[in-house]
Amino acid sequence: KNQVEQSPQSLIILEGKNCTLQCNYTVSPFSNLRWYKQDTGRGPVSLTIMTFSENTKSNGRYTATLDADTKQSSLHITASQLSDSASYICVVRSYYGNNRLAFGKGNQVVVIP
Amino acid sequence: DTGVSQDPRHKITKRGQNVTFRCDPISEHNRLYWYRQTLGQGPEFLTYFQNEAQLEKSRLLSDRFSAERPKGSFSTLEIQRTEQGDSAMYLCASSLAGQISYEQYFGPGTRLTVT
């Protein structure tokens, strides 16, 4: 079973609308959680990073939340733009494992005009 | 551009041929990682180096795969006797050991298609 589960697998939203992506993880002990944006045919680019003590982190129109007790994170996209069309990958790092990261499968977001 | 670079960006090869990919990390980064990503999936860890030492290899890295980082700078990933199942995006990432955030910066990837 994957240690990082994301939902929904894919969604289509109208330009200008908001959306929220979910990430549930079982990685333990927890070190940090990142959300990456991956455009088609490109490598992932980090959007936010949160450690155990952080509940929310913003990067422009992207706002990530973390509940370390329930092991859940969300990424909220405000006022979506066409350029937000991408896969959003939740990545969790444990303290152990030689810097090994656990990747979710990604949320595929398509923004339509 | 001082980010992670990969070459080639795309490679089409026939089954049974050998291929080699190159990754140039961010210059001051001493850790380098290789991942494989198939459509609709997140990246899967293959192997990583700290300087020139290969410290960990995934079970996904079969005997047909070999990675090197001879001088602790660029790295190569070779796949021998390619199979159709090797078709994927091969991502390279680098990071700086000792940073508490340990962010890995990804390259653009090499898309391999085995026909």
Side-chain angles (χ1 to χ4, degrees), chain A residues 21-38:
Chain A
L21 314 175
Q22 300 291 341
C23 172
N24 296 338
Y25 63 91
T26 59
V27 174
S28 182
F30 173 84
S31 175
N32 60 56
L33 182 149
R34 288 184 186 274
W35 283 92
Y36 280 86
K37 178 187 180 188
Q38 185 175 23

Side-chain angles (χ1 to χ4, degrees), chain A residues 9 31-32 34 36 38 41-46 49 87 89 93 97-101 103-106, chain B residues 9 31 33 35 37 40-43 45 48 56 89 91 95 100-104 106-109 111:
Chain A
Q9 182 177 354
S31 175
N32 60 56
R34 288 184 186 274
Y36 280 86
Q38 185 175 23
R42 309 290 297 181
V45 175
S46 179
I49 177 175
S87 178
I89 304 174
R93 178 173 178 264
N98 289 321
N99 205 29
R100 181 77 69 88
L101 302 177
F103 290 82
K105 293 183 179 181
Chain B
R9 295 292 310 279
R31 287 189 175 171
Y33 309 81
Y35 293 89
Q37 186 178 28
Q41 303 293 316
F45 172 80
Y48 96 97
E56 189 174 352
M89 173 80 88
L91 293 166
S95 73
I100 192 169
S101 62
Y102 282 105
E103 177 171 356
Q104 294 185 19
F106 285 84
R111 169 74 63 189

Side-chain angles (χ1 to χ4, degrees), chain A:
Chain A
K1 183 171 166 40
N2 198 6
Q3 291 184 296
V4 180
E5 299 284 350
Q6 294 187 240
S7 62
Q9 182 177 354
S10 62
L11 75 161
I12 299 173
I13 58 173
L14 289 174
E15 185 179 11
K17 297 297 185 182
N18 304 337
C19 70
T20 301
L21 314 175
Q22 300 291 341
C23 172
N24 296 338
Y25 63 91
T26 59
V27 174
S28 182
F30 173 84
S31 175
N32 60 56
L33 182 149
R34 288 184 186 274
W35 283 92
Y36 280 86
K37 178 187 180 188
Q38 185 175 23
D39 294 315
T40 301
R42 309 290 297 181
V45 175
S46 179
L47 293 175
T48 63
I49 177 175
M50 287 182 294
T51 58
F52 185 88
S53 59
E54 296 175 299
N55 300 118
T56 185
K57 183 75 69 78
S58 290
N59 178 0
R61 295 178 298 101
Y62 300 104
T63 300
T65 66
L66 173 66
D67 185 335
D69 291 331
T70 61
K71 298 187 176 180
Q72 295 179 324
S73 176
S74 68
L75 181 69
H76 186 76
I77 305 175
T78 303
S80 60
Q81 300 177 358
L82 297 178
S83 59
D84 292 331
S85 295
S87 178
Y88 293 84
I89 304 174
C90 177
V91 184
V92 183
R93 178 173 178 264
S94 171
Y95 273 113
Y96 302 140
N98 289 321
N99 205 29
R100 181 77 69 88
L101 302 177
F103 290 82
K105 293 183 179 181
N107 305 102
Q108 186 67 46
V109 175
V110 176
V111 181
I112 59 175

